[in-house]
Amino acid sequence: LGPLHGESSKHSYAPVRISKWTRRRDKLMYELKLLNADIFCLQEVSQKGLKETFIPGLRHIQLECCGFAPMRSMSNLQDMNRNQKVDHKYIGCTIFIRR
């Protein structure tokens, strides 16, 4: 679950130390790198998480983002590369492929 969903009151049974996005993010990136896959399809990815975490983190293992399909209307992936302010409210699905 993305930052907004995993930390919501809907998951109040989980200790904060486990539900914090920074902890889940780091564990998720670790697991994705261990899988060594040629293609990743991720869902519930926020625009901010994509730009700040997944694109730079997966670039190190030669995976590049080839698409982002938001569930809400927003600018496309090219617009995210222009240093525009992004946040977690826009979520969607993304695909990474090995270069």
Side-chain angles (χ1 to χ4, degrees), residues 1-3 6-7 14-27:
L1 294 172
E7 294 179 8
V16 173
R17 64 181 170 76
I18 292 174
S19 63
K20 290 295 275 184
W21 168 241
T22 51
R23 176 177 164 82
R24 290 183 294 117
R25 175 199 65 205
D26 294 344
K27 290 179 77 58

Side-chain angles (χ1 to χ4, degrees), residues 13-97:
Y13 56 85
V16 173
R17 64 181 170 76
I18 292 174
S19 63
K20 290 295 275 184
W21 168 241
T22 51
R23 176 177 164 82
R24 290 183 294 117
R25 175 199 65 205
D26 294 344
K27 290 179 77 58
L28 179 59
M29 291 302 297
Y30 175 77
E31 292 293 326
L32 290 174
K33 290 175 183 179
L34 278 181
L35 289 171
N36 196 32
D38 292 328
I39 299 173
F40 280 117
C41 300
L42 305 174
Q43 64 185 34
E44 292 192 14
V45 176
S46 71
Q47 181 185 17
K48 184 175 182 176
L50 181 62
K51 186 172 184 177
E52 294 178 359
T53 302
F54 295 106
I55 290 176
L58 295 175
R59 185 180 299 135
H60 287 81
I61 57 170
Q62 287 72 49
L63 288 167
E64 69 179 35
C65 182
C66 65
F68 180 71
M71 291 185 207
R72 293 187 184 172
S73 112
M74 61 164 263
S75 301
N76 64 20
L77 186 60
Q78 288 84 17
D79 291 339
M80 288 178 30
N81 293 327
R82 291 191 207 139
N83 291 329
Q84 294 178 340
K85 184 179 182 235
V86 296
D87 60 32
H88 290 299
K89 71 180 176 181
Y90 296 110
I91 62 168
C93 299
T94 188
I95 298 172
F96 283 84
I97 58 170

